Structures are given as C-alpha cells and as structure tokens.
Amino acid sequence: MAHSSVSRSEQKREQILAAAIELFCGQGFPHTSMDEVAKKAGVSKQTVYAHFGSKDELFVAAIESKCVVHQVTESLFSSPEKPEQALLQFGYYFSDMVLSAEAIDVFKACVAQADTHPDISALYFSAGPEHLIVLLESYFIEVQRVGHYQFGDARDAAVRLCLMLFGEMRLKLELGLAVEDIVPHRPQYIKETIEMFLRAYRREI
C-alpha cells in the first residue's frame, strides 16, 4: 500500500510541474497563480501547496525538472576517468534542453520581465544555468584529480563550455529566426566543440 501511495504522490507532483512549466512559459510568472496551476494539473490547491510551499519554490522546481527530464543530472558525471564520453553525452543532452521551445520561452519571459521582476530572472538563473554550471564545475574538479586534464578555474571552464555549446542555433532561436539550415550540422558542431574544449585543457605528458 505504501508503494502505491508514494507512486500516486509522485504522479501528482509530475502533473503539477508539467502544468506549471506550461503556464509559466505561456503567460509568464507574475500572471500565473497557484489556483491556475492546480486547475490545469487536475489537483486541489492544497495538493499544490503540499508539494511546493510557494510559487517561487514551484518555479524553481519546474525549471530544475527540465534538467532531469533531459537527463542532465549528477549520474551523467559519475566517471571522471572518461570525460570524453561524459562530456559528449552532456553536449547532446544540453543541446536538446537549451534548444527546446520551453527553454526558449522561459528565457524570453524572464528577459521581458527583467526590469520589473528581476527576482524572477534570479530564480531562473539559480534553477537553470547555475545548476548546470555547478554540476560541470564539480565534475571538472574530479576529472582534474585523475591527472590527464588541468582546467584551472573549474567554474570558468564550465561557463566557457556551456556558452560554446549554445552556438549559432541558440542565438537564432532567441531571435525567432529560422534554423532549418543549421540543424543537420548541429551534432557535428557539438562533437567538434567537445573535442576542441578537451584538447585545450589536456595536460602534456
């Protein structure tokens, strides 16, 4: 019975997160109420608050859930001995995530409201970019200990890799421009970016 109860609770949590991200993307954080999230998720308002104590907390969890859905989690970086494989896989997962319509919509919404609601941009940065940067930074420190790579400031290296992976495609999507012409080359761009990045930090033996 306990297992069934936990499963139902987790299912409701996922329903709430899915509803929240759709509403936050569609109409913006300030215009989204917990009542609306509850209605869209098909649960009571009390259930929403039972899982998430505030709208801020729900927003952060919704952004973080996008990282989990796209498999950018700590488990991806479990092997510091094989950064070539881990970072290539990260590159593909990261690309899927940052180029998704949801990610672009949330980013645009935060930028559009940055002057009047800078707190939302801060929440977004903490839950999204900062979350990924810290994951990479920690991984680079572990990789350094193996001895084949020297990253120096691991956080700077993490930021550098993420911005390189954004590439032309993310820039065009943010501007609402067509990307059909560069989609076929995207996997090769990711592969070459990871190879160049690691080559730059490899220690001379």
Side-chain angles (χ1 to χ4, degrees):
M1 290 297 293
H3 176 73
S4 177
S5 175
V6 169
S7 297
R8 284 198 300 272
S9 175
E10 185 60 30
Q11 184 179 13
K12 287 184 177 180
R13 187 177 190 276
E14 293 305 317
Q15 289 172 215
I16 294 166
L17 287 172
I21 199 72
E22 186 174 337
L23 288 168
F24 289 145
C25 289
Q27 59 192 39
F29 180 88
H31 306 295
T32 298
S33 70
M34 296 291 261
D35 281 320
E36 289 176 296
V37 173
K39 184 177 179 181
K40 191 165 192 64
V43 301
S44 68
K45 186 177 178 180
Q46 288 75 16
T47 300
V48 175
Y49 276 108
H51 285 277
F52 308 99
S54 67
K55 192 165 76 164
D56 284 2
E57 185 180 329
L58 175 57
F59 181 75
V60 169
I63 299 301
E64 288 180 342
S65 75
K66 294 293 97 184
C67 297
V68 174
V69 166
H70 291 280
Q71 303 179 56
V72 182
T73 62
E74 288 88 346
S75 61
L76 181 61
F77 302 119
S78 58
S79 300
E81 302 83 8
K82 300 176 180 178
E84 300 84 4
Q85 296 176 23
L87 291 181
L88 183 59
Q89 201 62 63
F90 168 77
Y92 292 131
Y93 289 155
F94 178 80
S95 180
D96 287 345
M97 180 176 62
V98 300
L99 299 179
S100 69
E102 288 175 341
I104 300 294
D105 287 346
V106 172
F107 175 78
K108 286 181 176 178
C110 289
V111 171
Q113 303 166 92
D115 289 341
T116 54
H117 295 85
D119 52 320
I120 298 169
S121 293
L123 284 173
Y124 170 80
F125 185 81
S126 176
E130 179 70 14
H131 176 76
L132 291 175
I133 289 167
V134 169
L135 279 179
L136 275 176
E137 179 184 10
S138 300
Y139 181 62
F140 289 159
I141 291 170
E142 291 301 313
V143 172
Q144 268 186 172
R145 288 180 180 145
V146 176
H148 299 303
Y149 294 93
Q150 184 65 43
F151 294 101
D153 188 310
R155 183 181 176 87
D156 281 352
V159 172
R160 195 168 290 124
L161 179 59
C162 288
L163 291 178
M164 288 168 65
L165 287 170
F166 267 39
E168 179 184 6
M169 197 163 170
R170 170 68 189 230
L171 178 59
K172 282 192 168 183
L173 286 170
E174 286 178 8
L175 294 170
L177 300 176
V179 295
E180 287 80 4
D181 59 326
I182 55 177
V183 167
H185 182 64
R186 181 68 183 176
Q188 184 66 20
Y189 174 81
I190 294 170
K191 181 174 181 292
E192 290 176 356
T193 297
I194 297 299
E195 289 173 352
M196 180 178 68
F197 177 83
L198 286 173
R199 194 161 55 243
Y201 289 107
R202 187 164 183 86
R203 292 182 62 186
E204 296 295 334
I205 304 300

